[in-house]
Each structure stands twice: as structure tokens, then as C-alpha cells.
Amino acid sequence: MVNDNSIFKFKFKPLNVKNDNMEYEVFTDNRKFMDIFLRQHNFNIDNVHIEIIDGCNGYNVNEVDVLSPFIFRSNKTNERFVVVSTSRFVTDAIENVCSCISDVSLFNDVMFRGDVELIDVITEMINSLPYAAVVNHALVTDDGEFVSQYWERYTKSMTLCTDGWQHPMGDEYIYEMMFEAYTSSTEFKRPQPITIEAYVRNFRETLLDEF
């Protein structure tokens, strides 16, 4: 019997993975959210086991595994999609996108040539993108010194502290800005900083254990 304090729990693991340590769990006190999650993520709603837990017994639920609606836009049509998911799956997808952006934002040594007009123009164009930065100019030595002599011109500042603007190191800027956008998007019910295509690709990789 389902009562007002019931918690719905669904567990699954990647395909072809038998290790229980790889299991994922999602929770909700809203059965409609659970049904939407299952349909949207291509689970057979008629062939899954949903555990019903009495929430009155003080059952502990990890907040990152609680289902809630997230808004995404499509990279192809700019259409908005509402996806019922968890912050664990959404932030995992954001981490993956940040890693991809970081990989393509580190160039060869020619990008250190800020004295060359073409390189200057290319760097400024990349830096004009909201979640992009030329990582070369944020690289530091073991002594904490910036490798690039043009780092002050090209690194993007994250925060203003007592000593002035705090400059990011390596690919910190990409992660900081992306997760700041995630927090804002979740709080104010705006589209996430990644697309629906990126989320779907990441969840598919989760199911197939392709990381």
C-alpha cells in the first residue's frame, strides 16, 4: 500500500556489468517523476522493479540521487526539453562536456605567440565564448608561475579577492563557469549549460559503461 510518506526507489546498473558496486539508484516521493524518468531514459516501465519505502522510518536518501525536472535546449533546434533526472547524472554530463572542451582548448605552442596578430585574433575569439578559454595561457610551472608571458592579457578572471582578480590555472575557468551556470540554471529553472544531446550521450555512455 502506498501512503503519503512513501519513497519510490529504482536501482539499475550498466549493461553487461555484474558488479553491484556499479549500481545506480534514483529516488522520489512523486511516482509520476519516477514514471517519466523511466520512459525518458528508455527503461521498460512494465518490466522494472520499483521499491516502495516507508519514509516515516527515517530512510536516508542522498540528495544527488533525487529525481527532479531539469531544462535543456537542443543544439540542433534550440527547442526546450524538460527531463526528469538527478543532479548526479546532470553534473556527470557537465563534467564530461568540460573535459571535452578542455581537450580542444589546449593548443600547440604557437598559441603562446601573442605578438602575432592572427594568433591574437584567434585567442580573443575563443575567449569571447562563454565557457571557453585558451588553456595555454593559464598553464603554470611547478613554482606556480604562468608559462605564457601574455597570461594577464588572455586568462579569464574568476573572482575578485583582496589581492585583486584571481586568475584560473589550467582549465579551472571552464569548470568554474560551467558549474556556476549549472547552479544558476537549477535555482532559477533555466536551461542547463549543456545541450540535451550532450546529456543523452553521457547517459548512454553510463548505461554502456563506456567511460
Side-chain angles (χ1 to χ4, degrees):
M1 179 179 179
V2 177
N3 59 55
D4 292 339
N5 296 302
S6 295
I7 298 173
F8 301 95
K9 172 183 175 182
F10 172 59
K11 295 195 302 184
F12 65 95
K13 64 181 72 173
L15 299 174
N16 302 320
V17 172
K18 298 180 179 180
N19 188 347
D20 289 342
N21 292 330
M22 289 291 293
E23 277 191 327
Y24 296 95
E25 298 177 333
V26 298
F27 301 87
T28 182
D29 59 3
N30 185 333
R31 179 57 195 253
K32 182 179 178 181
F33 277 1
M34 181 63 75
D35 291 343
I36 294 174
F37 170 81
L38 294 172
R39 285 197 297 269
Q40 289 182 331
H41 293 77
N42 206 29
F43 292 101
N44 186 342
I45 196 170
D46 297 320
N47 194 33
V48 297
H49 173 67
I50 306 298
E51 185 178 351
I52 302 175
I53 302 166
D54 185 355
C56 293
N57 293 329
Y59 189 85
N60 291 323
V61 174
N62 192 333
E63 286 298 318
V64 300
D65 296 318
V66 175
L67 293 174
S68 61
F70 294 85
I71 303 172
F72 295 90
R73 284 194 184 277
S74 170
N75 192 45
K76 298 178 180 178
T77 65
N78 206 35
E79 183 181 356
R80 289 163 62 108
F81 295 87
V82 178
V83 177
V84 173
S85 186
T86 67
S87 60
R88 182 187 301 279
F89 294 134
V90 175
T91 56
D92 279 353
I94 292 175
E95 286 265 5
N96 195 19
V97 170
C98 287
S99 178
C100 292
I101 295 175
S102 175
D103 288 344
V104 300
S105 299
L106 181 62
F107 302 88
N108 61 31
D109 289 349
V110 71
M111 295 303 286
F112 288 118
R113 294 295 305 275
D115 58 326
V116 177
E117 183 178 359
L118 177 61
I119 300 303
D120 179 70
V121 171
I122 293 173
T123 302
E124 292 292 356
M125 289 178 64
I126 294 172
N127 280 350
S128 69
L129 300 173
Y131 307 120
V134 177
V135 174
N136 301 61
H137 297 290
L139 297 176
V140 295
T141 65
D142 292 339
D143 297 326
E145 299 293 330
F146 283 95
V147 175
S148 171
Q149 63 177 311
Y150 301 102
W151 67 269
E152 287 186 285
R153 186 198 306 179
Y154 294 131
T155 56
K156 291 183 173 182
S157 300
M158 291 187 296
T159 55
L160 183 63
C161 58
T162 55
D163 297 326
W165 287 103
Q166 175 186 344
H167 292 278
M169 293 182 293
D171 57 5
E172 285 180 356
Y173 177 85
I174 297 169
Y175 285 84
E176 288 282 343
M177 293 300 101
M178 190 73 81
F179 276 94
E180 182 177 303
Y182 159 75
T183 300
S184 176
S185 299
T186 303
E187 182 178 356
F188 297 105
K189 294 180 171 53
R190 300 169 180 161
Q192 292 297 315
I194 62 172
T195 63
I196 184 65
E197 289 85 3
Y199 175 81
V200 169
R201 181 175 63 250
N202 193 79
F203 192 79
R204 180 187 67 83
E205 291 172 351
T206 298
L207 285 180
L208 298 178
D209 190 33
E210 291 185 348
F211 294 105

